[in-house]
Amino acid sequence: MVSLKCWVLLMLVGGVSLLAMWTAAADQPRNAEARRVDTGDAVLVIHGGEYDLPESVGPEDAGPYKQVLRKALEEGYAELRKEKGTSLDAVEAAIRVMEDSPLFNAGRGSVFNHDGHNEMDASIMDGEHKDKFAGAVAGVTIIKNPISAARAVMEHSPHLLLTGRGAENFVMRLKIDQPDLARKLEVRDPRYFWTQSRWDELKKAWAEEDQQSPQGKKEGRAPTPRRHLGTVGAVAVKNGKLAAGTSTGGMTNKWAGRVGDSPIIGAGTYADNRACAVSCTGWGEYFIEYAVAHEIVARVKYRKGCTVEQAADELINDELMKAGKDGAPIEGGAIVLNPKGHFAVTFNAEAKQMNRGYITRDGKASVAVFEDRLPDPK
Amino acid sequence: MVSLKCWVLLMLVGGVSLLAMWTAAADQPRNAEARRVDTGDAVLVIHGGEYDLPESVGPEDAGPYKQVLRKALEEGYAELRKEKGTSLDAVEAAIRVMEDSPLFNAGRGSVFNHDGHNEMDASIMDGEHKDKFAGAVAGVTIIKNPISAARAVMEHSPHLLLTGRGAENFVMRLKIDQPDLARKLEVRDPRYFWTQSRWDELKKAWAEEDQQSPQGKKEGRAPTPRRHLGTVGAVAVKNGKLAAGTSTGGMTNKWAGRVGDSPIIGAGTYADNRACAVSCTGWGEYFIEYAVAHEIVARVKYRKGCTVEQAADELINDELMKAGKDGAPIEGGAIVLNPKGHFAVTFNAEAKQMNRGYITRDGKASVAVFEDRLPDPK
């Protein structure tokens, strides 16, 4: 018979040693970048997607991309500085800036689906899980800022996810019923979302398709989507309260009606004040299957000592790198931020690059695109 | 300096004692039903949703409901008995039976949205995470069996989730290109999905709406959806390989374009051979926010000694019961099955009742509806 005291002692020693070994084993991330830049005082982290560049664009063209990222950080930061400004406001403001730029695959710069239309998706989530705390739209074609429509669904409808015409009718109705909301819910003709570079990408995808299957062309075979990425997203924190959001035009040449991970709470976006906020970019089908955003939150929540960096690193650099057909790599990345201001910017070798940036509590902003690495803040 | 041997011993003792205490503490579920009926050799568990009865229906009308549930179990079981039959086949077959019945809120018996249309959602997932392993459709209006369309998206498209007209066009095209698939992908006029009892429910919801806000009626205010549930779902296992699926018509008087948790992988449906398979029913918006299906899988995966029953019980009976506005209860339930054949049928007090059934390895079927409890197999 062992005494209670002895049990407690044994358990303590065993527990601590287990924890120590666990930490030692898990603490070898290959994504050195996230580690190096994590300042521990970030308030807003953004991404402008991975592999977002037409082939004609080189490192010398980085300027305009960096400018938009910087503006997104500044506008988000301005919201955080307001007395009543929330992390949700910061996420929305930062994403709106990227949606308004034709350089990113969201809002104005959205890619075309197989039918030559833009179908946009977005979602947003509040890390404080009180009553209704998430909203999303999918397949919208005339909403200038899908992220604001997602927030409007969250705050002004009984629903969480509205799609297509239903989502657009909701926005139109809301603009009429509540004119004070109209400023953020601008509507545009589909033509506003038409850009030459995206159109060229679609035509190229069409041509490749026809070349691969001349018979298919004649018969109208099913299209082959091209994984053109460049989704945008943001995660923010204020007083320990997190928010996350994601917005995208999807994949070039995607089938009409296709929905990826960006508007799916749990796949492309998740936020929980008890763990972290996540916004993803990558091959949407796989990100839904692996419930990437929620899986990262679950690992941080349930695995002792698991940091945001470890959680993202394991999933994105290990598991997704062999998740495809016959173990093929699945490209993707995520930004993850915890309530204390620690963050990870993780993207795997298949994703190659990710447009990204962060801003600290005292307003120090850093951005990086293409093959750059985030500058060391020290 | 402590020797390695000693460390290992200490850790073992500590680990075992921790585990023992953990199990003792967590092992007090209030959902006594799941415990009592869990035979440990279930191969297929189904639900026909909660609170699925028009007010005119009483316990004496249970017969037809039980008949459909029994048929669903039998058809699913027949798939499992085939040499090449898989758990995925069983899930699809069982759900098709419930979709074909006007008694359940899926397929033929789907409820109407605010505009007087049926918009149906479904998803299916294979627990063996190899290449493409999930599929879903949302907002379809002419597909007789949305669960089979979801499976077709998984197996015959490059995408995972297709919505509305895009999903319907995909099904039509597939029927032409691959005539051998046409049998399972039947198309019907919207009229096929029109049932008097669902129409009466919609008219009642309209009337309540008008009564609550006569001014709103005149101005065409936003509709108030009624949480009429009755989603159907199934989870199955064969040789340790799991599958899950869910199908629904959503909520009566829902807004056009509204998507709930049923077609969302991670919310209404999830399967992972390393943990369990889950199909949910309940207030979809909250089920998406809490990523209920994936959260149950994550708890089983990451929390030592957490059974399927404990995972479902904590989330559905504890957390969802205070997740609404000002701590209001959110109704819902889930069926959960692990690779060894242990299962839980969990629904909270707010859900009141759930149509449900299971069948064991040797073909013993049990069903229950309304206020019944599943009969004890012993």
Side-chain angles (χ1 to χ4, degrees):
Chain A
M1 182 81 186
V2 188
S3 77
L4 179 68
K5 233 181 196 169
C6 191
W7 265 113
V8 169
L9 191 71
L10 274 169
M11 277 175 49
L12 269 176
V13 172
V16 168
S17 57
L18 268 171
L19 184 62
M21 287 185 67
W22 173 274
T23 310
D27 203 14
Q28 298 166 341
R30 276 132 316 134
N31 189 352
E33 176 180 0
R35 155 74 34 102
R36 195 168 63 77
V37 299
D38 182 6
T39 56
D41 66 349
V43 289
L44 173 64
V45 185
I46 61 172
H47 70 81
E50 17 136 11
Y51 206 65
D52 191 27
L53 303 171
E55 277 148 30
S56 57
V57 174
E60 68 280 9
D61 300 306
Y65 288 86
K66 287 185 170 173
Q67 216 169 356
V68 178
L69 291 176
R70 205 168 278 278
K71 190 173 174 221
L73 287 172
E74 281 161 8
E75 302 225 343
Y77 187 71
E79 294 296 326
L80 291 173
R81 296 273 291 181
K82 288 180 191 166
E83 202 190 323
K84 289 192 173 171
T86 64
S87 52
L88 208 62
D89 296 330
V91 162
E92 183 187 3
I95 289 176
R96 285 176 63 93
V97 171
M98 295 185 279
E99 284 176 339
D100 287 345
S101 161
L103 296 177
F104 299 89
N105 176 18
R108 190 167 180 198
S110 290
V111 299
F112 290 95
N113 72 8
H114 180 72
D115 300 351
H117 302 144
N118 306 109
E119 290 189 325
M120 296 169 283
D121 306 330
S123 65
I124 194 162
M125 186 162 190
D126 190 334
E128 191 169 11
H129 290 189
K130 273 197 182 157
D131 195 32
K132 277 211 64 195
F133 47 86
V137 293
V140 295
T141 62
I142 56 168
I143 311 288
K144 177 168 163 276
N145 294 104
I147 194 69
S148 295
R151 185 169 179 180
V153 170
M154 168 172 121
E155 293 177 345
H156 302 282
S157 92
H159 296 311
L160 185 146
L161 170 56
L162 292 177
T163 58
R165 188 65 62 89
E168 291 166 356
N169 286 349
F170 159 68
V171 167
M172 303 286 227
R173 174 198 288 267
L174 196 60
K175 281 167 72 80
I176 296 164
D177 284 356
Q178 302 197 34
D180 53 311
L181 296 170
R183 188 185 56 82
K184 278 196 175 175
L185 296 172
E186 287 176 75
V187 165
R188 291 285 184 276
D189 286 344
R191 187 189 158 170
Y192 166 84
F193 304 96
W194 196 99
T195 56
Q196 186 66 52
S197 64
R198 300 306 189 197
W199 189 251
D200 292 344
E201 285 166 26
L202 177 62
K203 285 199 297 181
K204 197 176 157 208
W206 280 351
E208 281 175 6
E209 212 167 75
D210 293 345
Q211 217 168 15
Q212 276 166 16
S213 165
Q215 188 62 16
K217 180 186 181 181
K218 221 167 87 192
E219 292 172 5
R221 283 275 167 78
T224 311
R226 286 186 70 212
R227 299 193 300 280
H228 180 100
L229 305 157
T231 296
V232 308
V235 288
V237 64
K238 183 171 177 177
N239 302 330
K241 291 181 181 173
L242 296 164
T246 311
S247 181
T248 192
M251 298 160 120
T252 293
N253 207 31
K254 67 183 177 181
W255 298 15
R258 177 262 187 184
V259 173
D261 63 314
S262 303
I264 306 297
I265 294 297
T269 303
Y270 209 81
D272 185 338
N273 288 348
R274 294 163 299 175
C276 54
V278 186
S279 170
C280 300
T281 175
W283 192 341
E285 278 71 15
Y286 288 91
F287 274 64
I288 297 176
E289 285 177 340
Y290 284 84
V292 171
H294 187 263
E295 177 71 31
I296 289 173
V297 168
R299 290 179 187 196
V300 169
K301 243 165 86 178
Y302 298 126
R303 292 173 60 164
K304 229 172 194 161
C306 183
T307 65
V308 292
E309 189 190 349
Q310 284 159 5
D313 182 53
E314 281 174 9
L315 188 53
I316 289 166
N317 283 320
D318 286 337
E319 294 165 47
L320 287 179
M321 282 301 281
K322 52 192 179 197
K325 198 171 181 173
D326 301 325
I330 298 303
E331 77 272 23
I335 52 176
V336 193
L337 176 67
N338 79 10
K340 292 184 175 168
H342 286 285
F343 72 97
V345 174
T346 304
F347 51 100
N348 61 27
E350 189 68 8
K352 296 184 186 79
Q353 61 194 8
M354 188 151 111
N355 301 321
R356 58 211 182 273
Y358 69 94
I359 191 161
T360 62
R361 215 163 283 137
D362 58 3
K364 205 180 281 178
S366 298
V367 299
V369 298
F370 311 167
E371 298 295 348
D372 296 2
R373 290 290 178 249
L374 281 167
D376 198 317
K378 274 149 210 164
Chain B
M1 181 80 186
V2 187
S3 77
L4 180 67
K5 236 181 195 168
C6 190
W7 266 113
V8 169
L9 191 70
L10 275 169
M11 277 173 48
L12 270 175
V13 172
V16 168
S17 58
L18 267 170
L19 183 62
M21 289 187 63
W22 174 274
T23 309
D27 203 14
Q28 297 167 340
R30 275 133 316 134
N31 189 351
E33 175 179 3
R35 155 73 35 100
R36 195 168 63 77
V37 300
D38 182 7
T39 56
D41 65 349
V43 289
L44 172 64
V45 184
I46 61 172
H47 70 82
E50 14 136 14
Y51 207 66
D52 191 28
L53 303 172
E55 276 147 32
S56 57
V57 175
E60 67 281 7
D61 300 305
Y65 288 85
K66 286 185 171 173
Q67 215 170 355
V68 178
L69 291 175
R70 205 167 279 278
K71 189 173 174 220
L73 287 172
E74 281 160 8
E75 301 226 343
Y77 187 70
E79 293 297 325
L80 291 173
R81 296 272 292 179
K82 287 181 191 166
E83 200 190 323
K84 289 192 171 171
T86 64
S87 52
L88 208 62
D89 296 331
V91 163
E92 184 187 2
I95 290 176
R96 285 175 63 93
V97 170
M98 294 185 279
E99 284 176 339
D100 287 346
S101 160
L103 296 178
F104 298 90
N105 176 17
R108 190 165 179 200
S110 290
V111 299
F112 290 94
N113 73 8
H114 180 71
D115 300 351
H117 302 145
N118 306 109
E119 291 187 324
M120 296 168 282
D121 306 331
S123 65
I124 196 164
M125 186 163 191
D126 189 335
E128 191 170 10
H129 290 188
K130 271 195 182 161
D131 194 32
K132 276 209 66 197
F133 47 86
V137 294
V140 295
T141 62
I142 56 168
I143 312 289
K144 178 169 162 277
N145 294 105
I147 194 69
S148 295
R151 185 168 180 181
V153 170
M154 168 172 122
E155 293 177 344
H156 301 282
S157 92
H159 297 310
L160 186 145
L161 170 55
L162 293 178
T163 58
R165 190 64 62 89
E168 291 166 356
N169 285 348
F170 158 69
V171 167
M172 302 287 227
R173 174 198 287 270
L174 196 61
K175 281 165 73 77
I176 297 164
D177 286 356
Q178 302 197 35
D180 52 312
L181 296 171
R183 189 184 56 81
K184 277 197 175 173
L185 296 172
E186 287 176 77
V187 165
R188 291 285 184 276
D189 285 344
R191 190 191 155 167
Y192 167 83
F193 305 96
W194 198 98
T195 55
Q196 186 67 50
S197 63
R198 301 305 190 196
W199 189 251
D200 291 344
E201 286 166 24
L202 176 63
K203 285 198 297 182
K204 196 177 159 205
W206 280 351
E208 281 176 5
E209 213 166 74
D210 293 345
Q211 215 167 16
Q212 276 166 19
S213 165
Q215 189 61 17
K217 181 187 181 182
K218 220 169 86 193
E219 293 172 5
R221 283 275 167 79
T224 311
R226 286 186 71 212
R227 300 194 299 282
H228 179 99
L229 305 155
T231 296
V232 308
V235 289
V237 65
K238 182 172 178 177
N239 301 331
K241 291 180 182 174
L242 296 164
T246 311
S247 181
T248 192
M251 297 160 121
T252 293
N253 207 29
K254 67 183 178 181
W255 298 16
R258 176 263 188 182
V259 174
D261 63 314
S262 302
I264 306 297
I265 294 297
T269 304
Y270 209 81
D272 185 337
N273 288 348
R274 294 164 300 176
C276 54
V278 187
S279 170
C280 300
T281 176
W283 192 341
E285 279 69 16
Y286 288 91
F287 274 64
I288 298 176
E289 285 176 340
Y290 284 84
V292 171
H294 187 263
E295 178 71 29
I296 290 173
V297 168
R299 290 179 187 195
V300 170
K301 242 165 88 179
Y302 297 127
R303 293 173 61 164
K304 232 175 193 158
C306 183
T307 65
V308 293
E309 187 190 349
Q310 284 158 6
D313 182 53
E314 282 175 8
L315 188 53
I316 289 166
N317 283 320
D318 285 339
E319 295 167 46
L320 287 180
M321 282 299 282
K322 51 190 179 197
K325 198 170 181 175
D326 302 324
I330 298 303
E331 77 272 23
I335 51 175
V336 193
L337 177 67
N338 79 10
K340 292 184 176 166
H342 286 284
F343 71 97
V345 174
T346 304
F347 52 99
N348 60 29
E350 189 68 8
K352 297 184 186 78
Q353 61 193 12
M354 188 151 111
N355 301 322
R356 57 210 183 273
Y358 69 93
I359 191 161
T360 61
R361 215 164 282 137
D362 58 2
K364 204 179 286 176
S366 299
V367 300
V369 299
F370 312 168
E371 299 293 350
D372 296 1
R373 291 292 178 249
L374 280 168
D376 199 317
K378 273 152 211 160

